[in-house]
């Protein structure tokens, strides 16, 4: 029922043409569309009813993300409703109600280099009085230019216990944001922290426990992003199948060519297996969140590879026009490329899976 409702809403209100319109208008997402999503309870899908949420769980969040991926619907769903909501819920934050209402938009500022590596955080959180001063740069911050608040990981000490997670007002003095030109026409930004004040109330979890505080949000975000990539794969596959049934060559629809049928069938099988891995990750997060990293990394790695295959096949089977802006296939390819890197690429998650299998 949730999938059917989400698909009907997104097909009508957020088709791929809406992404094109957002891009041409210079906006990362439609605020009105996000308000409607929040009114339907999507912003509070992982938030308890005591804070105004729907509390439907990670499998439900994955279903919503899949359907958004299918139409390339742009929204702050992953950053706010999934990553921030999961991290702040685990920490017992009182800002969950604002997220559930769609009133507070969050961004996660964790990466500092070309690859996802939270444990290599170098950004400084210098103790000062009863608080800290944050100094450093964060890159590839999804929804960074639009967010009202930022979850930022910084180094507050030495050794394994030296990282702390902060919940900072995006308008705080010393914090500057510069939007990046993202190929998928989404909101990514570089954030510069120049002696930004952070108090003890801004700490999420415990001082020195930043990775532990961030873990629930990261796992949830990785699983939901895998779900979005799975939906994206199904979306470009559907677009491609439609084209194969319409395009004619040598007085025959090209879908009648056996070579293309084999390629389409292979892609269908890969999408089905990936969808199973994504569903499994959501269920493990719902029932055994502390033991979910293997399932989550498996889903993200597989979804990344399947999306790569899907968009390559989609563009190739469209022929040369697949790379032109007049057709939607290229939009799927661009989003797949960004999704492959965000929150850990294939190599990052494959290494986690390999390490877990050696245990």
């Amino acid at each position: 029922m949730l999938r059917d409702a989400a698909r009907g809403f997104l097909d009508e209100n957020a088709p791929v043409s809406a992404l094109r319109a957002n891009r041409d208008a210079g906006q990362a997402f439609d605020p009105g569309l996000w308000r409607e999503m929040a009114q339907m309870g999507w912003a509070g899908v992982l938030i308890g009813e005591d804070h105004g949420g729907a509390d439907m769980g990670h499998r439900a969040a994955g279903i919503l993300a899949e359907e958004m991926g299918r139409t390339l619907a742009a929204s702050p769903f992953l950053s706010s409703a999934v990553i921030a909501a999961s991290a702040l819920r685990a920490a017992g934050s009182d800002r969950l109600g604002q997220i559930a209402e769609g009133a507070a938009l969050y961004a996660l500022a964790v990466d500092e280099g070309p690859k996802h590596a939270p444990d290599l955080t170098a950004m400084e959180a210098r103790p000062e009085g009863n608080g800290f001063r944050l100094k450093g740069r964060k890159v590839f911050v999804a929804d960074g230019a639009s967010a009202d608040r930022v979850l930022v990981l910084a180094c507050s000490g030495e050794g394994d216990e030296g990282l702390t997670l902060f919940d900072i007002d995006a308008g705080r003095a010393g914090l500057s944001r510069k939007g990046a030109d993202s190929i998928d026409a989404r909101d990514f930004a570089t954030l510069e922290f120049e002696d930004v004040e952070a108090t003890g109330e801004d700490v999420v979890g415990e001082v020195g426990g930043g990775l532990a505080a961030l873990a629930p949000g990261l796992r949830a975000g990785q699983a939901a992003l895998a779900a979005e990539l799975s939906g994206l794969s199904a979306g470009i596959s559907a677009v491609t199948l439609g084209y194969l049934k319409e395009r004619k060559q040598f007085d025959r629809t090209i879908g009648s060519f056996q070579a293309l049928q084999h390629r389409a069938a292979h892609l269908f099988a890969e999408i089905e297996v990936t969808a199973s891995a994504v569903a499994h990750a959501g269920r493990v997060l719902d029932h055994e969140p502390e033991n979910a990293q293997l399932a989550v990394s498996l889903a993200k790695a597989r979804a990344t590879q399947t999306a790569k295959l899907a968009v390559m096949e989609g563009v190739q089977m469209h022929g040369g026009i697949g790379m032109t802006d007049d057709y939607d296939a290229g939009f799927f390819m661009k989003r797949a490329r960004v999704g492959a890197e965000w929150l850990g690429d294939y190599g990052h998650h494959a290494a986690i899976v390999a390490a877990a299998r050696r245990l």
Side-chain angles (χ1 to χ4, degrees):
M1 291 175 63
L2 177 64
R3 185 183 298 279
D4 289 345
R7 181 168 297 187
F9 173 79
L10 292 169
D11 282 346
E12 180 178 352
N13 297 283
V16 181
S17 59
L19 174 64
R20 186 188 295 272
N22 286 338
R23 183 203 62 179
D24 294 345
Q27 63 178 12
F29 66 92
D30 179 357
L33 177 67
W34 176 240
R35 284 194 295 271
E36 290 188 61
M37 291 179 176
Q39 290 170 2
M40 292 188 295
W42 294 9
V45 65
L46 294 176
I47 295 174
E49 295 180 2
D50 53 335
H51 287 96
D55 202 12
M56 297 183 69
H58 293 277
R59 180 63 190 124
I63 289 172
L64 294 176
E66 282 183 59
E67 293 305 315
M68 291 182 198
R70 199 176 60 85
T71 65
L72 300 180
S75 79
F77 177 74
L78 290 182
S79 297
S80 290
V82 176
I83 297 175
S86 296
L88 295 178
R89 181 174 184 174
S93 172
D94 58 1
R95 293 197 175 95
L96 292 171
Q98 298 174 39
I99 296 177
E101 294 173 3
L105 300 184
Y106 270 82
L108 174 64
V110 63
D111 293 321
E112 299 177 6
K115 293 295 182 179
H116 178 67
D119 55 326
L120 299 181
T121 294
M123 180 174 165
E124 179 185 12
R126 185 180 72 253
E128 182 177 279
N130 294 325
F132 299 87
R133 289 284 178 175
L134 307 182
K135 185 174 183 179
R137 172 188 292 182
K138 296 292 185 179
V139 300
F140 202 39
V141 180
D143 299 303
S146 306
D148 306 307
R149 303 192 66 84
V150 180
L151 292 180
V152 55
L153 189 65
C155 186
S156 57
E158 298 180 356
D160 295 337
E161 302 298 322
L163 300 180
T164 300
L165 185 64
F166 298 91
D167 181 353
I168 301 295
D169 187 328
R172 193 160 297 183
L175 172 55
S176 60
R177 301 183 280 181
K178 182 179 180 181
D181 292 328
S182 174
I183 61 171
D184 64 346
R186 305 293 180 95
D187 174 6
F188 282 91
T190 297
L191 273 57
E192 294 277 359
F193 293 78
E194 186 60 46
D195 289 330
V196 175
E197 181 182 6
T199 69
E201 294 182 355
D202 297 324
V203 173
V204 179
E206 298 179 356
V207 174
L211 290 180
L214 182 59
L218 272 184
R219 287 194 295 262
Q222 290 160 350
L225 181 54
E228 182 190 328
L229 290 173
S230 177
L232 178 152
S233 300
I236 183 60
S237 176
V239 170
T240 303
L241 288 176
Y243 184 75
L244 294 180
K245 295 175 182 178
E246 295 175 358
R247 170 67 172 165
K248 288 188 176 182
Q249 190 71 25
F250 308 115
D251 296 323
R252 298 172 57 188
T253 56
I254 61 176
S256 66
F257 300 151
Q258 191 175 54
L260 296 184
Q261 291 176 358
H262 286 173
R263 290 167 67 174
H266 172 235
L267 177 58
F268 172 81
E270 292 297 312
I271 290 173
E272 287 297 298
V273 174
T274 296
S276 178
V278 166
H280 176 64
R283 286 192 290 265
V284 176
L285 276 171
D286 282 331
H287 299 291
E288 297 181 79
E290 297 301 323
N291 300 316
Q293 190 60 61
L294 174 58
V296 168
S297 287
L298 177 62
K300 177 60 164 68
R302 180 159 187 94
T304 294
Q305 292 298 86
T306 301
K308 179 180 178 181
L309 173 66
V311 297
M312 288 178 64
E313 290 287 68
V315 168
Q316 288 185 20
M317 285 193 272
H318 272 79
I321 60 171
M323 290 301 296
T324 68
D325 194 63
D326 289 337
Y327 280 72
D328 292 338
F331 286 92
F332 286 91
M333 176 172 277
K334 292 170 183 177
R335 179 57 180 171
R337 188 68 193 92
V338 173
E341 291 294 328
W342 188 31
L343 302 181
D345 62 9
Y346 176 84
H348 175 90
H349 289 286
I352 292 175
V353 173
R357 293 189 65 181
R358 287 197 297 267
L359 296 177

